[in-house]
Amino acid sequence: QVDLVHFARTMGGFTWPAKNVLTIFDLTTVLHPELHSRAAISYWRHIVPLHLRLADRIVAISKDVASGLVQHYQVPPGKIEVIYCAPQSIFDGPLAPELTATIRTKFGLPEEYLFFVGILAKKKNLTTLIQALYLLRQQHVDCPPLVLAGRRYRQSDDSAIFQQIESLGLQSEVRHLGPVESDELRGLYGGATALIYPSLHEGFGIPCLEAMKCGLPVVAARSGAIPEIVGDAALLVDDPSDPQTLADAIRQVVQDGSLRQELINRGRRRAASFSWDRLAGQLLDLYRQLLGA
């Protein structure tokens, strides 16, 4: 007695006679199998194609994901609907200075710090980021410490970064906070000098927009959907696997105040163009098309 089922977590199924909608967020496992487990690779090679065939319509969260579905799975373009994500509403509006001060005190953070948020997965390219920080220290660049926020990711665990931090002598310059709540995250964005997001591939890259909403300049990799999402509102690194290239971008955004302000201004405008109201309206239109309403 169900008319339509929307699988919103990349795991589809058989729903006949109900209509079937499947959202695909990311094709990193297909594009970078070396970063993932055998189980994950097998799932994307053998199970996902079945789910894609069963779906009446597929929602891709970026044009990059949509093109990947066409290229790697031969999905007909007319079966795919690109519907962008958006930052949570908690990131809207002005950021109260008291919140930033409270969060800084709670976590014992300095006045300035670089920030990364996301799962600690290999695709996030944190080993290159840590190496870039080491190069900046070797080059005697006055650079804020790095704060990492996010949980470990068993499917593609990157816990080796903690050994790397120790071997390079960066224990006092890199902090891992673990998972944080949304209100804490807003304060962490507000107190940071810049968001550093060097991922090897992203299907969207929501932290970039969250940071922009909070007035934080973004340094990110020119990979996956990130250029599509940030436009000209972030400082993009052409080769995120090169520590020196990433280090140069970090140094630029740390030392150039006018660049930071320009990125902040562009970022606020860019983030404002992504909204949950628009997303909901597009999904509703899709449901109506499939149901003939």
Side-chain angles (χ1 to χ4, degrees), residues 145-174:
L146 172 66
V147 174
L148 309 171
R151 62 181 176 85
R152 299 192 183 194
Y153 188 64
R154 290 184 180 180
Q155 291 93 319
S156 182
D157 185 39
D158 202 20
S159 297
I161 62 168
F162 297 110
Q163 295 176 351
Q164 180 190 15
I165 291 167
E166 186 173 351
S167 67
L168 294 177
L170 297 176
Q171 299 94 320
S172 63
E173 297 176 47
V174 182

Side-chain angles (χ1 to χ4, degrees), residues 77-124:
K79 190 176 180 178
I80 304 171
E81 191 83 15
V82 175
I83 300 180
Y84 288 131
C85 298
Q88 298 178 58
S89 59
I90 192 172
F91 298 107
D92 293 340
L95 185 66
E98 310 86 67
L99 175 60
T100 301
T102 299
I103 294 301
R104 184 181 286 118
T105 300
K106 178 176 181 177
F107 291 108
L109 300 178
E111 288 292 322
E112 295 185 353
Y113 56 88
L114 303 174
F115 190 47
F116 166 86
V117 59
I119 54 174
L120 302 191
K122 292 176 182 177
K123 78 166 188 173
K124 300 298 184 181

